[in-house]
Amino acid sequence: METVFSKHDQPTGFKGLNKEEEEDLIGQAECWKIMLSFTDSVAIKAAVELGIADIIDHHGQPISSQKILGNLADAPSPDISFLLRIMRVLVRRKIFSAQKSETGETLYGITPISKWLLRDSKMSLAPMLLLENHPIHINPTHYVSDVIREGTKNGTPFYRCHGYEQFEYTSLKPDYNRLFNEGMACTARIVSKAVIEGYRHGFNQIESLVDVGGGIGGSLSEIVRAYPHIKAINFDLPHVVATAPKYDGITHVGGDMFVSIPKADAIYMKWILHDWSDEHCVKILKNCRKAIPEKTGKVIIVDHVLQPEGNELFDDTGFAFDMMLLSHNSGGKERNEENWKWLFAETGFPRYNIIKIKALPSIIEAYPI
């Protein structure tokens, strides 16, 4: 006998379905939802480009669509019907709030999500959102199935799409390079804040620190500002550190992490290893091992630890990042704990410790003894 569900038992909203019919209908609905999930990013991107969150925030209270429209920059003939449809989606996704005024007018307000879209805020994800939704960034994803069929002999998805690898391409496209740097800078500020707050005991014990792949030293400067006793080296390619500003307590050193790394009590790497294959990471970590003291040294890695069965706050985002790395980097990937454990065993780090912080990545300490 077929099981018939009552309206209280089934999430579909349809009456009289048996279990097979219900599962089939739910499957169809989920397929549609996943298929069109990119449209949420389309709506958020439009909101960031228009500066809607900033407009509402500057007013200090919920405002109408007409007021939003009236405050748009460079909008000679704005279309309110399009705006209303965008706002309808963003309210449904809780990116903005909506309430009725005494006159029945809809007023839009800021939510905990849209606070992260404020372009005028130091702690903003708006630049990263624009980067992740840029055609140069997204288009390589359409080549993933080709690489699955043929391997990487004809290049990564990014190379197949653009004719260059990602880091080469940024040097050829100034606008994309600017967008890329702004995206990296905004996430660096957010993650660095979480690292500094979540690793107090760790930094207090360090006298000298090398930031491998530290760019122009922004992240390291935040650490040294919070822990001024640390003597720090910002280590990156010579042409990168050549443009780095001066910071108190920081020496800029140019070099190649695949050749050697300056010596210090500890090595710091934030979102470096996930860009590289296991073979590359083994070379980097072996050089780290040579650069730190045998008994007291450590490597501090800020990277994601994938949880295959995880259902915590940032778990899904880790898998999304892995998909982008699959499209953009040759061998780059997010790693689970077993992957990290293998890397450490291969490179002379028999002991490690994972510390969760209030951000997307975790801190992973690796010790030589």
Side-chain angles (χ1 to χ4, degrees):
M1 179 180 294
E2 292 183 329
T3 302
V4 176
F5 291 83
S6 73
K7 65 178 181 180
H8 301 294
D9 295 329
Q10 46 192 316
T12 61
F14 291 89
K15 298 179 181 180
L17 299 182
N18 61 43
K19 185 176 181 180
E20 183 179 353
E21 290 172 329
E22 182 188 33
E23 290 176 347
D24 188 55
L25 195 58
I26 291 172
Q28 181 191 159
E30 286 298 311
C31 190
W32 281 109
K33 182 179 178 180
I34 294 167
M35 183 195 314
L36 298 172
S37 60
F38 73 94
T39 59
D40 288 342
S41 280
V42 170
I44 301 174
K45 181 188 178 188
V48 170
E49 290 175 333
L50 294 169
I52 293 175
D54 293 288
I55 291 170
I56 298 172
D57 187 61
H58 288 162
H59 279 79
Q61 61 183 3
I63 60 174
S64 68
S65 56
Q66 284 287 0
K67 189 157 285 188
I68 293 172
L69 218 57
N71 283 270
L72 293 181
D74 189 27
S77 53
D79 190 314
I80 195 166
S81 66
F82 269 54
L83 175 63
L84 289 173
R85 289 162 68 183
I86 290 292
M87 295 304 290
R88 180 171 61 186
V89 172
L90 297 176
V91 168
R92 186 171 178 84
R93 297 290 178 260
K94 296 181 173 55
I95 293 160
F96 294 108
S97 64
Q99 63 189 64
K100 292 291 184 181
S101 69
E102 293 180 358
T103 62
E105 191 175 32
T106 301
L107 303 178
Y108 300 98
I110 296 293
T111 70
I113 301 176
S114 48
K115 285 180 180 178
W116 289 95
L117 303 180
L118 295 170
R119 301 196 68 173
D120 293 341
S121 171
K122 185 179 180 181
M123 291 297 168
S124 172
L125 282 169
M128 190 63 170
L129 187 142
L130 294 177
L131 170 65
E132 294 294 348
N133 285 278
H134 193 282
I136 289 176
H137 220 63
I138 289 178
N139 288 348
T141 62
H142 298 293
Y143 293 79
V144 169
S145 59
D146 292 339
V147 174
I148 291 173
R149 291 190 189 97
E150 304 165 12
T152 56
K153 61 183 179 182
N154 293 322
T156 62
F158 195 97
Y159 183 88
R160 289 170 181 243
C161 181
H162 298 299
Y164 297 90
E165 294 296 355
Q166 184 179 26
F167 295 121
E168 296 175 308
Y169 204 57
T170 55
S171 66
L172 301 174
K173 296 287 184 178
D175 288 345
Y176 177 60
N177 185 53
R178 174 188 55 78
L179 197 65
F180 186 88
N181 289 336
E182 288 175 355
M184 295 301 103
C186 83
T187 55
R189 284 192 293 270
I190 292 166
V191 173
S192 294
K193 182 176 184 291
V195 168
I196 289 167
E197 291 177 353
Y199 198 60
R200 289 188 179 94
H201 74 285
F203 287 127
N204 282 332
Q205 300 167 1
I206 296 170
E207 292 185 6
S208 59
L209 179 69
V210 176
D211 185 354
V212 174
I216 60 173
S219 294
L220 189 58
S221 69
E222 297 291 331
I223 294 172
V224 173
R225 186 179 294 114
Y227 302 93
H229 70 279
I230 295 177
K231 293 179 181 179
I233 294 174
N234 178 55
F235 181 68
D236 212 310
L237 294 169
H239 75 272
V240 175
V241 299
T243 63
K246 292 183 178 179
Y247 296 107
D248 290 339
I250 295 177
T251 302
H252 298 293
V253 175
D256 185 343
M257 63 186 175
F258 293 107
V259 177
S260 67
I261 290 170
K263 294 184 180 299
D265 293 338
I267 305 295
Y268 180 77
M269 289 186 287
K270 178 176 65 62
W271 271 338
I272 299 298
L273 298 182
H274 78 167
D275 283 331
W276 297 98
S277 69
D278 288 343
E279 290 179 353
H280 287 100
C281 287
V282 165
K283 291 180 182 178
I284 296 168
L285 286 169
K286 283 184 175 179
N287 286 335
C288 289
R289 180 71 174 76
K290 295 174 184 176
I292 58 175
E294 177 72 27
K295 295 182 179 180
T296 59
K298 63 180 171 180
V299 177
I300 307 161
I301 299 164
V302 180
D303 237 316
H304 201 81
V305 181
L306 285 181
Q307 303 290 337
E309 305 299 327
N311 195 30
E312 296 187 2
L313 205 55
F314 293 106
D315 285 338
D316 280 346
T317 308
F319 288 97
F321 259 88
D322 188 55
M323 285 300 298
M324 296 307 294
L325 289 168
L326 182 71
S327 304
H328 292 169
N329 298 71
S330 179
K333 60 183 177 181
E334 302 293 359
R335 294 175 168 88
N336 60 28
E337 185 172 350
E338 284 301 310
N339 300 145
W340 287 113
K341 185 177 181 180
W342 180 87
L343 277 179
F344 297 146
E346 289 290 307
T347 52
F349 295 94
R351 186 164 61 93
Y352 68 92
N353 183 39
I354 297 172
I355 303 169
K356 288 188 177 182
I357 56 175
K358 292 185 287 186
L360 171 62
S362 296
I363 295 171
I364 312 164
E365 299 173 309
Y367 295 92
I369 59 172

